[in-house]
Amino acid sequence: MDLATRPYRSVLYIPGSKTRALEKARSLQTDAIIFDLEDAVAPEAKAEARETLKDALQQDGYGKRAKIVRINALTSQWGFEDVRVLRDVGADIFLLPKVNTPTDVDALADLLEPSMPIWVMMETPTCVFNAPEIAAHHRVAGLVTGTNDLTKDLGCRYRPDRLPLMTALQRIVMAARATRGVVAIDGVYNRFRDGDGLKAECEQGRDLGFDGKTLIHPMQIDVTNTAFAPSASEVDLARRQIAAFEDGQASGQGVAVVDGQIVENLHVVAAKRTLAKVDAIAQMAAE
Ligand code: COA
Ligand code: MG
């Protein structure tokens, strides 16, 4: 599936060390998987996890799910070996943690094939300040918000409304949108058995403009896929807006009115984007 137009509603972390979870993910309805070698894997388990993950990726069976490998930072003792072992085993994307500047991205870009897209963890205050330059790096295709690391570094509190993180969240979305085609993924929801809390946070992230959310547990997938997909009423409205605008144009009108709201060309662009997203989701579901 074309990486640029595919959906990224649900992006599930799987510790590279957990064979059962690596197996289970082959049948989960997640749009993308982050195979993690970093924070989810203990230092003493790093070497084994690398080999376990290599086997899983070579075996494949992950279908259309985007396969994203999160390596350890290149400043750690594991990062270079992670790249060496995993660069040619079928990953679609490499995800780099603890990035502060575009130069950090160069270090990974130099080790990978030029066609391999790089996603960046946005999880330090310096990284968030440098977000526009990082998103504009020619190898960067996605930004993943690391809300737990950001919360730690900022010394802020966890709040259901995420007010302490709002500047960072919005800056990440803005940086992605200022560069064409860069994907923006929201951080994880830690209370993974709290479906109502997750739903509220998904809807907040969606309303802010994120393409999807990172997840830590399979039970979070359905809620997230629904929240980040256009609803039936949004699809219906989009279709009617396009039709009304085209009718208007045929009779020489530059604007139309639907449900008491003005429809200009820019609304039609947004409506077409909604329909394209529905198509991409349908393609993902089709076998
Ligand atoms: N991906 C795929 N499958 C997963 C999974 C994941 N992230 N987390 C759990 N599962 C599977 C388990 O293997 C188990 O499968 P089974 O019943 O078929 O054997 C099933 O889902 C239920 O798991 P459960 O017992 O409810 O979870 P747990 O209590 O063992 O583990 C966590 C809870 C949070 C420790 C675990 O979900 C996890 O490790 N998540 C990922 C954490 C991570 O990657 N963090 C880094 C980024 S923040
Ligand atoms: Mg982190």
Side-chain angles (χ1 to χ4, degrees), residues 64-239:
K64 294 176 183 167
R65 300 163 191 84
K67 291 174 283 183
I68 305 166
V69 170
R70 183 164 83 168
I71 60 167
N72 290 280
L74 293 175
T75 48
S76 75
Q77 65 189 98
W78 306 287
F80 281 94
E81 189 62 5
D82 291 345
V83 177
R84 194 187 67 75
V85 173
L86 292 162
R87 98 183 118 197
D88 297 317
V89 293
D92 296 311
I93 293 165
F94 269 69
L95 173 59
L96 186 63
K98 307 295 181 310
V99 169
N100 284 313
T101 68
T103 311
D104 296 336
V105 180
D106 287 336
L108 177 59
D110 289 346
L111 302 174
L112 296 170
E113 290 295 322
S115 58
M116 178 66 77
I118 295 173
W119 281 19
V120 171
M121 289 304 302
M122 308 297 286
E123 58 183 351
T124 72
T126 307
C127 183
V128 174
F129 275 123
N130 291 327
E133 292 76 21
I134 289 169
H137 189 290
H138 70 288
R139 293 292 295 277
V140 170
L143 308 179
V144 180
T145 313
T147 36
N148 282 323
D149 269 297
L150 267 174
T151 298
K152 167 179 74 66
D153 282 9
L154 292 174
C156 67
R157 293 201 179 183
Y158 287 96
R159 286 172 46 136
D161 64 5
R162 297 200 291 175
L163 195 61
L165 293 176
M166 202 44 70
T167 298
L169 296 175
Q170 293 186 316
R171 196 171 162 84
I172 290 164
V173 174
M174 278 184 215
R177 300 303 171 236
T179 309
R180 272 168 74 96
V182 172
V183 173
I185 307 293
D186 201 355
V188 300
Y189 185 70
N190 292 336
R191 293 176 185 278
F192 57 91
R193 297 195 196 281
D194 171 6
D196 290 341
L198 172 67
K199 180 169 182 280
E201 200 172 281
C202 283
E203 289 174 355
Q204 183 195 43
R206 174 202 65 198
D207 291 354
L208 286 169
F210 283 103
D211 295 294
K213 191 167 180 68
T214 40
L215 310 178
I216 50 179
H217 194 280
M219 70 185 293
Q220 298 184 305
I221 295 172
D222 283 350
V223 169
T224 308
N225 281 345
T226 302
F228 283 93
S231 67
S233 64
E234 283 168 336
V235 174
D236 175 58
L237 178 64
R239 291 208 173 103

